[in-house]
Amino acid sequence: MSSSRIALSARTLLICTALMSGMTAPVYAQTAVDTTKQVPATRADTQLSFAPLVKQTAGAVVNVYAAREVQQRSPFSGDPFFEQFFGGKFNGPPRIQSSLGSGVIVDPTGIVVTNNHVIRDAETVKIALSDGREFESRVLLKDESTDLAILKIDANEQFPVLQLADSDKVEVGDLVLAIGNPFGVGQTVTSGIVSAQARTRVGISDFDFFIQTDAAINPGNSGGALIGMDGKLVGINTAIFSRSGGSVGIGFAIPSNMVRAVVDTAKQGGDTFQRPYIGATFQNVTSDVAEGLGMKQPYGALVTSVVKDGPAEKGGLLVGDVVLSVDDFRIENFDGLGYRLSTAGIGKTVKLGVLSRSKEKVISLVLEKPRPDDPSSKAVIQGKNPLSGAQVITLTPSSATRLRLSGDTTGVAVEKIFPDTPAARIGLQPGDIVRKVNGRDITTVADLTAVMSSSPVLWRFEFERGGAVIRQIIR
């Protein structure tokens, strides 16, 4: 007897037994089957090749070469004794520091998408095509929060492109190809499947919402293409999870819908990608919170604060509400909410499914443009002090929300930390709030810059991080 008949008989026996015993027959959930996707059915199917797809798409995947001049620092640099006698002249001559990554042409005029970390701080960026030609390029947009950068090839010709897919239609198990330049060995193609969708809490960038794949991704693949079997770009390869530095089958790609939003911003003349301003802050729904709210599962984004007269308040969002969906897309956590709002775009109106006071409702939310910061409320701390290299800002509801702080938080917060600076070495992080310096209360950037211009023997700091107070004494 065939295996299908055995399975059918077993199922029939189970139902009959249940009916005879007075039990309710089990209900088998019916799921929609996409008939356009098939698994190999014959030996001939297993001998099919990806070669036609590679020939169709590989020309739009490029190599990105970034270079900058850096000063070689002596191990004695910064030492007061040696600087007293040599005046800092013992540093070596400048050298060229280069990095290598990949990129994808998404517009025939030569617009290229890559990772921001590939071209970060670069003074020159060159693009090499798969046919060996090289071009100078200029940076249209750099965005650290999404880890995406948009380049423009300096040439007046038409280039091969990859069309952007709808990444919301990508499913776990779909076949994908990763194309890039791993380890600088030249253009390489690897195959695999989509291992997971909407992967969050990865810690790669501020936007934790990735496509996970087992297609081999290695250093140099960053910025390369993850393509589907229709030849469209489903993601930009960004990072790997590895303890050895090599691919172990866990790679992450930025979804094409996020790429589309950033590319559109660059085409409209923007030099950075802006998140919509909604005037509210959120946190993840834990098991305890879900139980307290009567939810069967812990998912969604819990509203922790609402800014007066902001879009959220105008839309009817309340503290304690849980956002369950955006335009019918289920929201698993805070990162998922940020992704959905950002890909919807500034100026759009979205429908939020909300659990409010034990009742579910739908509200409309207008996604506004972030309110500009006052230039005088921002500064980069410089000089010979422990906070040198920290970019700080006097908090407003808009900047507080951007830094994932409560919208009603006041004070001076760290907005950015520049690498290889004293602020980076003492462990300062974006989002830290500077409360006191040497006993003086800090409420504005002017307060902080004034006190940091002094030269005390000891520095006493009081920071706030995640609601906890951190005190440091630095000589």
Side-chain angles (χ1 to χ4, degrees), residues 386-403:
L387 299 191
S388 180
Q391 181 173 299
V392 295
I393 187 170
T394 302
L395 289 171
T396 63
S398 179
S399 59
T401 302
R402 187 172 66 248
L403 291 171

Side-chain angles (χ1 to χ4, degrees), residues 326-454:
V326 175
D327 289 337
D328 296 327
F329 288 104
R330 176 177 161 122
I331 299 302
E332 296 294 340
N333 49 42
F334 169 73
D335 292 312
L337 175 63
Y339 173 81
R340 290 299 172 191
L341 297 179
S342 298
T343 52
I346 294 172
K348 301 294 180 61
T349 299
V350 295
K351 300 291 185 181
L352 300 185
V354 177
L355 177 65
S356 181
R357 308 308 186 254
S358 302
K359 295 182 179 180
E360 292 190 18
K361 64 180 182 179
V362 177
I363 67 173
S364 296
L365 183 68
V366 179
L367 305 181
E368 293 185 4
K369 185 176 182 178
R371 299 171 184 180
D373 298 319
D374 181 355
S376 64
S377 69
K378 184 181 298 189
V380 176
I381 305 299
Q382 298 177 338
K384 293 185 177 181
N385 62 73
L387 299 191
S388 180
Q391 181 173 299
V392 295
I393 187 170
T394 302
L395 289 171
T396 63
S398 179
S399 59
T401 302
R402 187 172 66 248
L403 291 171
R404 299 190 178 187
L405 301 171
S406 175
D408 56 2
T409 305
T410 59
V412 176
V414 177
E415 188 175 35
K416 182 179 180 180
I417 298 293
F418 292 93
D420 300 323
T421 61
R425 287 192 285 272
I426 69 170
L428 214 55
Q429 299 177 9
D432 288 350
I433 303 172
V434 184
R435 292 302 185 193
K436 288 186 178 183
V437 177
N438 289 342
R440 177 175 174 178
D441 291 332
I442 304 299
T443 58
T444 67
V445 165
D447 292 339
L448 183 59
T449 54
V451 73
M452 297 311 296
S453 63
S454 60

Side-chain angles (χ1 to χ4, degrees), residues 17-356:
T17 303
L19 291 173
M20 291 174 65
S21 61
M23 296 167 56
T24 301
V27 178
Y28 291 87
Q30 300 297 316
T31 56
V33 177
D34 189 343
T35 57
T36 63
K37 300 177 181 179
Q38 300 179 2
V39 296
T42 66
R43 181 180 179 85
D45 287 346
T46 64
Q47 296 175 337
L48 296 176
S49 173
F50 291 122
L53 182 60
V54 173
K55 291 177 182 178
Q56 172 191 339
T57 59
V61 183
V62 301
N63 296 336
V64 179
Y65 299 93
R68 65 175 179 138
E69 187 178 272
V70 296
Q71 179 70 49
Q72 295 190 70
R73 293 177 60 86
S74 164
F76 303 114
S77 179
D79 187 292
F81 175 80
F82 283 92
E83 286 194 350
Q84 179 182 359
F85 290 97
F86 297 98
K89 296 181 180 179
F90 43 81
N91 286 331
R95 63 181 179 86
I96 301 299
Q97 186 180 71
S98 60
S99 62
L100 171 67
S102 305
V104 182
I105 305 175
V106 295
D107 188 275
T109 61
I111 293 179
V112 177
V113 180
T114 187
N115 284 136
N116 178 65
H117 72 260
V118 171
I119 57 104
R120 182 186 292 122
D121 300 325
E123 296 170 356
T124 60
V125 181
K126 288 187 177 182
I127 302 294
L129 304 187
S130 58
D131 60 12
R133 292 183 296 161
E134 291 190 3
F135 298 90
E136 298 289 340
S137 71
R138 53 192 171 90
V139 178
L140 298 182
L141 180 153
K142 292 195 300 183
D143 189 71
E144 191 170 359
S145 65
T146 59
D147 196 21
L148 286 173
I150 312 299
L151 313 175
K152 176 66 171 66
I153 298 175
D154 288 333
N156 187 21
E157 63 176 274
Q158 297 290 295
F159 295 93
V161 302
L162 280 182
Q163 294 183 357
L164 297 178
D166 182 354
S167 52
D168 287 330
K169 295 182 179 179
V170 176
E171 297 181 301
V172 175
D174 283 354
L175 287 169
V176 288
L177 299 181
I179 307 178
N181 185 5
F183 299 110
V185 300
Q187 192 174 82
T188 303
V189 181
T190 55
S191 67
I193 63 170
V194 173
S195 305
Q197 261 282 39
R199 183 66 78 199
T200 60
R201 305 176 191 179
V202 177
I204 298 172
S205 68
D206 288 349
F207 285 94
D208 253 0
F209 198 92
F210 296 93
I211 296 172
Q212 182 182 326
T213 179
D214 66 350
I217 297 174
N218 286 291
N221 272 112
S222 293
L226 188 70
I227 63 172
M229 293 300 99
D230 58 358
K232 294 183 178 181
L233 182 74
V234 300
I236 293 293
N237 298 324
T238 297
I240 58 173
F241 176 84
S242 175
R243 291 188 172 91
S244 63
S247 177
V248 293
I250 303 179
F252 300 99
I254 300 171
S256 57
N257 286 352
M258 176 59 78
V259 175
R260 179 182 288 106
V262 177
V263 170
D264 288 345
T265 299
K267 287 182 176 180
Q268 295 166 10
D271 59 2
T272 188
F273 180 71
Q274 293 183 315
R275 307 182 191 210
Y277 172 67
I278 61 173
T281 55
F282 305 85
Q283 71 177 39
N284 292 330
V285 176
T286 63
S287 298
D288 292 339
V289 170
E291 183 179 355
L293 294 174
M295 299 173 61
K296 294 181 179 180
Q297 296 177 335
Y299 74 99
L302 177 68
V303 180
T304 56
S305 70
V306 176
V307 177
K308 184 175 178 57
D309 296 327
E313 185 184 64
K314 294 175 184 176
L317 208 58
L318 304 172
V319 173
D321 287 355
V322 178
V323 178
L324 305 176
S325 65
V326 175
D327 289 337
D328 296 327
F329 288 104
R330 176 177 161 122
I331 299 302
E332 296 294 340
N333 49 42
F334 169 73
D335 292 312
L337 175 63
Y339 173 81
R340 290 299 172 191
L341 297 179
S342 298
T343 52
I346 294 172
K348 301 294 180 61
T349 299
V350 295
K351 300 291 185 181
L352 300 185
V354 177
L355 177 65
S356 181

